Amino acid sequence: MSALLDELIELRHELHQYPEVSQQEEQTAQRILRWLNTCSPTQIIKNLGGHGLAAIFDSGKEGPSVLVRCELDALPIFEIGEPQWRSKHDGVGHLCGHDGHMSILAGLARKFSEYRPKQGRVILLFQPAEEDGAGARAVIADPKFSEIKPDYSFALHNLPGMALHEVGIKSGPLNFASEGLRIELSGKTSHASHPEDGISPAKAIATLIEKLPYLPQSLGKDESEALVTVVHANLGVNAFGVAPGDGMVMATLRSIDNALQSDLMAHAEELARQEANRNGLKIKLSHGEKFSDCTNDREAADIIRKSAKKAGRKITELTKPYRWSEDFGLFGSVSKSALFVLGSGENCPQLHNPDYDFPDELIESGMALFENIARDLCG
Ligand SMILES: [Zn+2]
Ligand SMILES: [Zn+2]
């Protein structure tokens, strides 16, 4: 075991040094493929929804198809931590721990290579583009996904602020749905001495910045159910002589479930159109980084609880869903799915912080938890 662990830690450090952002994970996928080739899976599916990879360990016998997912991508954030394995790609860093999640699945590949499942199939999915919300959708939409067709899907995310190795689980809603809304407004520039000759979006932008965050409240929802955050705005050009003719507001909308999210988005768009009309502006709306809600299936969540108990891990029942999003939620539309969090320690910097680094100790505990889950279903 410890020889394997040393190899997995080495792999994690290598992945950490060569991070790639969403949809550009080509080299990362190649490193993973080299590893998988040493594990003799029944089948490897390449270029799944982009640079995704799936290693299938098939028992050849009837039984459930159990998918375990990790992520290939890193973030466009400059790493300021100074581990020996610090990122060699300036401005890109594995600051969400996906390097660690990949090492956990690499370890599982070894385990299932040595002790094949007794029934059904275990599928280890290295999913691309989690951070921009496009990866799970692309994987599921890929015609090659029909060869996978999972009955159950599982994933974990490491979580700073929670005790090392502790497991957090919840049935039902776990992560909010989320989507970005870009509101572009255009009027007409004019000389700053004669603003009355132009059409300025300034008032509309000010109103939107003020009103958008209160939309959930107007729908009778508090921040435990929905949230609108204005993330960016601009207006006019950097010149004292010109009254502005163009402007933009960007906001991220989040809701506890997909239905409320659609409702919230419709209201946000309506508010933007009203403000455009009121001020005689043209409007262009566009969307980005859409994440489905992540809702844990009860049976799948119970399998995780059983696994954590068997591994002797402390289990925390989460009382509230997280407001951050996880594109893993989409696997709930094709299988019984559940995601759990694995504590990265109280003093670990938060995810996406520039000094974050995945704790290597979690590789072994993550592997044990997933192995218990998969063996519970596939033997
Ligand atoms: Zn992340
Ligand atoms: Zn992540």
Side-chain angles (χ1 to χ4, degrees), residues 275-291:
E275 286 310 311
N277 282 341
R278 206 193 307 274
N279 294 279
L281 300 158
K282 288 201 190 94
I283 184 169
K284 188 180 156 209
L285 299 172
S286 53
H287 302 98
E289 303 197 3
K290 182 182 170 111
F291 288 80

Side-chain angles (χ1 to χ4, degrees), residues 204-265:
I205 284 178
T207 306
L208 288 170
I209 291 174
E210 200 184 318
K211 285 193 175 170
L212 281 167
Y214 288 98
L215 269 185
Q217 214 171 309
S218 69
L219 294 173
K221 304 293 174 188
D222 65 24
E223 60 191 28
S224 69
E225 291 168 292
L227 185 73
V228 179
T229 308
V230 174
V231 293
H232 178 76
N234 69 38
L235 175 67
V237 289
N238 194 353
F240 286 115
V242 184
D246 296 288
M248 174 171 75
V249 180
M250 284 166 62
T252 308
L253 283 66
R254 296 176 187 272
S255 310
I256 195 164
D257 60 46
N258 295 336
L260 178 58
Q261 179 74 352
S262 309
D263 203 20
L264 187 65
M265 183 59 81

